[in-house]
Coordinates of all heavy atoms in Angstrom, one line a residue:
M213 N 0.8 -1.2 0.0 CA 0.0 0.0 0.0 C 0.9 1.2 0.0 O 1.6 1.6 1.0 CB -0.9 0.0 1.3 CG -2.0 -1.1 1.2 SD -3.3 -0.7 0.1 CE -4.5 0.0 1.3
A214 N 0.8 2.0 -1.1 CA 1.6 3.2 -1.2 C 0.7 4.4 -1.2 O 0.8 5.3 -2.0 CB 2.5 3.2 -2.4
E215 N -0.3 4.3 -0.3 CA -1.3 5.4 -0.4 C -0.7 6.7 0.3 O -0.1 6.6 1.4 CB -2.5 5.0 0.4 CG -3.8 5.7 -0.1 CD -5.0 5.1 0.6 OE1 -5.1 3.9 0.6 OE2 -5.8 5.9 1.1
K216 N -0.9 7.8 -0.4 CA -0.4 9.0 0.2 C -1.3 9.5 1.4 O -2.5 9.4 1.3 CB -0.4 10.1 -0.9 CG 1.0 10.4 -1.3 CD 1.2 11.8 -1.9 CE 0.4 12.0 -3.3 NZ 0.6 13.3 -3.8
D217 N -0.6 10.0 2.4 CA -1.4 10.5 3.5 C -1.7 12.0 3.2 O -0.8 12.8 3.4 CB -0.6 10.4 4.8 CG -1.4 10.7 6.0 OD1 -2.6 10.7 5.9 OD2 -0.8 10.9 7.1
L218 N -2.9 12.2 2.8 CA -3.2 13.6 2.4 C -3.7 14.4 3.6 O -4.7 14.0 4.2 CB -4.3 13.5 1.3 CG -3.9 12.9 0.0 CD1 -5.0 12.8 -1.0 CD2 -2.7 13.6 -0.7
K219 N -3.0 15.4 3.8 CA -3.4 16.3 4.9 C -3.7 17.7 4.4 O -2.9 18.2 3.6 CB -2.4 16.3 6.0 CG -2.4 15.0 6.8 CD -1.4 15.0 7.9 CE -1.5 13.7 8.7 NZ -0.3 13.6 9.6
C220 N -4.7 18.4 5.0 CA -4.9 19.7 4.7 C -3.7 20.6 4.9 O -3.1 20.6 6.0 CB -6.1 20.2 5.5 SG -6.5 22.0 5.3
T221 N -3.3 21.4 3.9 CA -2.2 22.2 4.0 C -2.3 23.3 5.1 O -1.4 23.7 5.8 CB -1.9 22.9 2.7 OG1 -1.8 21.9 1.7 CG2 -0.6 23.7 2.7
S222 N -3.5 23.7 5.3 CA -3.8 24.8 6.3 C -3.9 24.3 7.8 O -3.2 24.8 8.7 CB -5.1 25.5 6.0 OG -4.9 26.2 4.7
C223 N -4.7 23.2 8.0 CA -4.9 22.8 9.4 C -4.3 21.4 9.7 O -4.4 21.0 10.8 CB -6.4 22.9 9.7 SG -7.4 21.6 8.8
N224 N -3.8 20.8 8.7 CA -3.1 19.5 8.9 C -4.0 18.4 9.3 O -3.6 17.4 9.8 CB -2.0 19.7 10.0 CG -0.8 18.9 9.6 OD1 -0.4 18.7 8.4 ND2 -0.1 18.3 10.6
T225 N -5.3 18.5 8.9 CA -6.2 17.4 9.2 C -6.2 16.5 8.0 O -6.1 16.9 6.8 CB -7.6 18.0 9.3 OG1 -7.7 18.8 10.5 CG2 -8.7 16.9 9.4
S226 N -6.2 15.2 8.2 CA -6.3 14.2 7.2 C -7.6 14.4 6.4 O -8.7 14.5 7.0 CB -6.2 12.8 7.7 OG -6.4 11.9 6.7
I227 N -7.5 14.4 5.1 CA -8.7 14.6 4.3 C -9.2 13.3 3.7 O -10.1 13.2 2.9 CB -8.5 15.6 3.1 CG1 -7.4 15.1 2.1 CG2 -8.2 17.0 3.6 CD1 -7.5 15.7 0.7
K228 N -8.5 12.2 4.1 CA -8.9 10.9 3.6 C -10.4 10.6 4.0 O -10.8 10.7 5.1 CB -8.1 9.9 4.3 CG -7.6 8.8 3.4 CD -6.5 7.9 4.1 CE -6.8 6.5 3.8 NZ -5.9 5.6 4.6
G229 N -11.2 10.4 2.9 CA -12.6 10.1 3.1 C -13.4 11.3 3.4 O -14.6 11.1 3.6
I230 N -12.9 12.5 3.3 CA -13.7 13.7 3.6 C -14.1 14.2 2.2 O -13.3 14.5 1.4 CB -12.9 14.7 4.3 CG1 -12.6 14.2 5.7 CG2 -13.6 16.1 4.4 CD1 -11.8 15.2 6.6
K231 N -15.4 14.3 2.0 CA -15.8 14.9 0.7 C -15.9 16.4 0.9 O -16.1 17.0 2.0 CB -17.1 14.3 0.2 CG -18.2 14.3 1.2 CD -19.5 13.8 0.5 CE -20.7 13.9 1.5 NZ -21.9 13.5 0.9
G232 N -15.6 17.1 -0.2 CA -15.6 18.5 -0.2 C -14.1 19.0 -0.1 O -13.9 20.2 -0.3
A233 N -13.2 18.1 0.2 CA -11.8 18.5 0.2 C -11.3 18.7 -1.2 O -11.8 18.1 -2.2 CB -11.0 17.5 0.9
T234 N -10.3 19.5 -1.4 CA -9.8 19.8 -2.7 C -8.3 19.8 -2.8 O -7.7 20.1 -1.8 CB -10.4 21.1 -3.3 OG1 -10.0 21.2 -4.6 CG2 -9.9 22.3 -2.5
T235 N -7.8 19.3 -3.9 CA -6.3 19.4 -4.0 C -6.0 20.1 -5.3 O -6.8 20.0 -6.3 CB -5.7 18.0 -4.0 OG1 -6.0 17.4 -5.2 CG2 -6.0 17.2 -2.8
F236 N -5.0 20.9 -5.3 CA -4.6 21.6 -6.6 C -3.1 21.9 -6.5 O -2.6 22.0 -5.4 CB -5.4 22.9 -6.8 CG -5.4 23.9 -5.6 CD1 -4.5 24.9 -5.6 CD2 -6.2 23.7 -4.5 CE1 -4.4 25.8 -4.5 CE2 -6.2 24.6 -3.4 CZ -5.3 25.6 -3.4
K237 N -2.6 22.2 -7.6 CA -1.1 22.5 -7.6 C -1.0 24.0 -7.2 O -1.8 24.8 -7.5 CB -0.6 22.3 -9.0 CG -0.5 20.9 -9.5 CD 0.8 20.2 -8.9 CE 1.1 18.9 -9.6 NZ 0.1 17.9 -9.3
C238 N 0.1 24.3 -6.6 CA 0.4 25.6 -6.2 C 0.4 26.6 -7.4 O 1.1 26.3 -8.4 CB 1.8 25.7 -5.5 SG 2.4 27.3 -5.3
P239 N -0.4 27.6 -7.3 CA -0.5 28.5 -8.5 C 0.8 29.3 -8.8 O 1.0 29.8 -9.9 CB -1.6 29.5 -8.1 CG -1.7 29.4 -6.7 CD -1.2 28.1 -6.2
S240 N 1.7 29.3 -7.8 CA 3.0 30.0 -8.0 C 4.1 29.1 -8.7 O 4.6 29.4 -9.7 CB 3.5 30.6 -6.7 OG 4.7 31.3 -6.9
C241 N 4.4 28.0 -8.0 CA 5.5 27.2 -8.5 C 5.0 26.0 -9.3 O 5.7 25.5 -10.1 CB 6.3 26.7 -7.3 SG 5.5 25.6 -6.2
G242 N 3.7 25.7 -9.2 CA 3.1 24.6 -9.9 C 3.7 23.2 -9.6 O 3.4 22.2 -10.3
K243 N 4.4 23.1 -8.6 CA 5.0 21.8 -8.2 C 4.4 21.2 -7.0 O 4.2 20.0 -6.9 CB 6.5 22.0 -7.9 CG 7.3 22.3 -9.2 CD 8.8 22.6 -8.8 CE 9.5 23.1 -10.0 NZ 10.8 23.7 -9.7
Q244 N 4.1 22.1 -6.0 CA 3.6 21.6 -4.7 C 2.1 21.4 -4.8 O 1.4 22.2 -5.3 CB 3.9 22.6 -3.6 CG 3.5 22.2 -2.3 CD 4.3 21.0 -1.8 OE1 5.5 20.9 -2.0 NE2 3.6 20.1 -1.1
E245 N 1.7 20.3 -4.3 CA 0.2 20.0 -4.2 C -0.3 20.7 -3.0 O 0.1 20.4 -1.9 CB -0.1 18.5 -4.2 CG -1.5 18.3 -4.4 CD -1.8 17.1 -5.3 OE1 -1.7 16.0 -4.8 OE2 -2.0 17.3 -6.5
I246 N -1.3 21.5 -3.1 CA -2.0 22.2 -2.0 C -3.3 21.4 -1.7 O -4.0 21.1 -2.6 CB -2.3 23.6 -2.3 CG1 -1.1 24.4 -2.8 CG2 -3.0 24.3 -1.1 CD1 0.0 24.6 -1.8
I247 N -3.5 21.1 -0.5 CA -4.6 20.3 -0.1 C -5.5 21.2 0.9 O -4.9 21.7 1.8 CB -4.2 19.0 0.6 CG1 -3.3 18.2 -0.3 CG2 -5.4 18.2 1.0 CD1 -2.5 17.2 0.4
R248 N -6.7 21.2 0.6 CA -7.6 22.0 1.5 C -8.8 21.1 1.9 O -9.5 20.6 1.1 CB -8.1 23.3 0.8 CG -7.0 24.1 0.3 CD -7.5 25.5 -0.1 NE -7.5 26.3 1.1 CZ -8.1 27.5 1.3 NH1 -8.8 27.9 0.3 NH2 -7.9 28.2 2.4
C249 N -9.1 21.1 3.2 CA -10.3 20.4 3.6 C -11.5 21.3 3.4 O -11.4 22.5 3.2 CB -10.2 20.0 5.1 SG -10.2 21.3 6.3
E250 N -12.7 20.8 3.6 CA -13.9 21.5 3.4 C -14.0 22.7 4.3 O -14.3 23.8 4.0 CB -15.1 20.6 3.5 CG -16.4 21.3 3.2 CD -17.6 20.4 3.2 OE1 -17.5 19.4 3.9 OE2 -18.6 20.8 2.6
H251 N -13.6 22.4 5.6 CA -13.6 23.5 6.6 C -12.8 24.7 6.2 O -13.3 25.8 6.3 CB -13.1 22.9 7.9 CG -13.0 23.9 9.0 ND1 -14.1 24.5 9.6 CD2 -12.0 24.5 9.6 CE1 -13.7 25.3 10.5 NE2 -12.4 25.4 10.6
C252 N -11.6 24.4 5.8 CA -10.7 25.5 5.4 C -11.2 26.3 4.2 O -10.9 27.4 4.0 CB -9.3 25.0 5.3 SG -8.5 24.6 6.8
R253 N -11.9 25.6 3.3 CA -12.5 26.2 2.1 C -13.6 27.2 2.6 O -13.7 28.3 2.1 CB -13.0 25.2 1.2 CG -12.0 24.5 0.4 CD -12.6 23.4 -0.5 NE -13.5 23.9 -1.5 CZ -14.5 23.2 -2.0 NH1 -14.7 22.0 -1.7 NH2 -15.3 23.8 -2.9
V254 N -14.4 26.7 3.5 CA -15.5 27.5 3.9 C -15.0 28.8 4.7 O -15.6 29.8 4.4 CB -16.4 26.6 4.9 CG1 -17.5 27.5 5.5 CG2 -17.1 25.6 4.0
I255 N -14.0 28.6 5.5 CA -13.6 29.8 6.3 C -12.5 30.5 5.5 O -12.0 31.5 6.0 CB -13.1 29.4 7.7 CG1 -11.8 28.6 7.6 CG2 -14.2 28.7 8.5 CD1 -11.1 28.4 8.9
V256 N -12.2 30.1 4.3 CA -11.1 30.7 3.5 C -9.8 30.9 4.3 O -9.2 32.0 4.3 CB -11.6 32.0 2.9 CG1 -10.7 32.4 1.7 CG2 -13.1 32.0 2.4
A257 N -9.4 29.8 4.9 CA -8.2 29.8 5.6 C -7.0 30.0 4.7 O -7.0 29.5 3.5 CB -8.0 28.5 6.4
R258 N -6.0 30.6 5.1 CA -4.8 30.8 4.3 C -4.0 29.5 4.3 O -3.9 28.8 5.2 CB -3.9 32.0 4.8 CG -4.7 33.3 4.8 CD -3.7 34.4 5.1 NE -2.8 34.7 4.0 CZ -3.2 35.4 2.9 NH1 -4.4 35.8 2.8 NH2 -2.4 35.6 1.9
Y259 N -3.3 29.3 3.1 CA -2.4 28.2 3.0 C -1.0 28.8 2.6 O -1.0 29.9 2.1 CB -2.8 27.2 2.0 CG -3.0 27.7 0.6 CD1 -1.8 27.8 -0.2 CD2 -4.2 28.1 0.1 CE1 -1.9 28.3 -1.5 CE2 -4.3 28.6 -1.2 CZ -3.2 28.7 -2.0 OH -3.3 29.2 -3.3
K260 N 0.0 28.1 2.9 CA 1.3 28.5 2.5 C 2.0 27.3 1.8 O 2.1 26.2 2.3 CB 2.1 29.0 3.7 CG 3.5 29.6 3.2 CD 4.2 30.2 4.4 CE 5.5 30.9 4.0 NZ 6.3 31.2 5.1
C261 N 2.5 27.6 0.6 CA 3.2 26.5 -0.2 C 4.5 26.3 0.5 O 5.3 27.2 0.7 CB 3.4 27.0 -1.6 SG 4.4 25.8 -2.5
P262 N 4.8 25.0 0.9 CA 6.0 24.7 1.6 C 7.2 24.7 0.6 O 8.4 24.8 1.1 CB 5.8 23.3 2.2 CG 4.7 22.8 1.5 CD 3.9 23.9 0.9
T263 N 7.0 24.7 -0.6 CA 8.0 24.7 -1.6 C 8.5 26.1 -2.0 O 9.7 26.3 -2.0 CB 7.6 23.9 -2.9 OG1 7.2 22.6 -2.6 CG2 8.7 23.9 -4.0
C264 N 7.6 27.0 -2.3 CA 8.0 28.3 -2.8 C 7.7 29.4 -1.8 O 8.1 30.6 -2.0 CB 7.5 28.6 -4.1 SG 5.7 28.9 -4.2
G265 N 6.9 29.1 -0.8 CA 6.5 30.1 0.2 C 5.3 31.0 -0.2 O 4.9 31.9 0.5
F266 N 4.7 30.7 -1.3 CA 3.5 31.4 -1.8 C 2.4 31.2 -0.8 O 2.2 30.1 -0.3 CB 3.1 30.9 -3.2 CG 1.8 31.5 -3.7 CD1 1.8 32.8 -4.3 CD2 0.6 30.9 -3.5 CE1 0.7 33.3 -4.7 CE2 -0.5 31.4 -4.0 CZ -0.5 32.7 -4.6
S267 N 1.7 32.2 -0.5 CA 0.6 32.0 0.4 C -0.6 32.8 -0.1 O -0.5 33.8 -0.8 CB 0.9 32.5 1.8 OG 0.5 33.8 2.1
G268 N -1.8 32.3 0.2 CA -3.0 32.9 -0.2 C -4.2 32.0 -0.1 O -4.0 30.9 0.2
P269 N -5.3 32.5 -0.3 CA -6.4 31.6 -0.8 C -6.4 31.7 -2.3 O -7.1 30.8 -2.9 CB -7.7 32.2 -0.2 CG -7.3 33.4 0.5 CD -5.9 33.8 0.1
N270 N -5.8 32.6 -3.0 CA -5.9 32.7 -4.4 C -4.5 32.6 -5.1 O -3.8 33.5 -5.1 CB -6.5 34.1 -4.8 CG -7.9 34.3 -4.2 OD1 -8.8 33.5 -4.3 ND2 -8.0 35.4 -3.4
Ligands
ZN481 ZN1 -8.1 22.4 6.8
ZN482 ZN1 4.6 26.9 -4.6

């Protein structure tokens, strides 16, 4: 089993089995996968890309 442990980039909660969570590539560097749980989407929590330091909700 090589399943990735997906955790929300903002709050570090595992999104496994959580619907409404989203993943997308960092809009700045395009390399880092950003993961957001539903909660952080709703409250528009900020995330920070650990690769390039880009932060935002946008
Ligand atoms: Zn979260
Ligand atoms: Zn980045």
Side-chain angles (χ1 to χ4, degrees):
M213 291 286 260
E215 206 173 313
K216 255 203 291 181
D217 189 18
L218 296 177
K219 285 184 176 167
C220 174
T221 304
S222 297
C223 69
N224 219 35
T225 295
S226 174
I227 63 159
K228 221 169 136 187
I230 294 182
K231 50 177 187 176
T234 186
T235 68
F236 56 94
K237 291 278 197 293
C238 169
S240 180
C241 66
K243 291 174 187 165
Q244 183 67 42
E245 189 140 86
I246 307 293
I247 303 163
R248 308 195 84 194
C249 68
E250 185 175 22
H251 175 71
C252 288
R253 284 176 61 204
V254 169
I255 67 168
V256 200
R258 297 192 73 79
Y259 62 82
K260 188 174 183 189
C261 172
T263 299
C264 71
F266 175 84
S267 94
N270 303 305

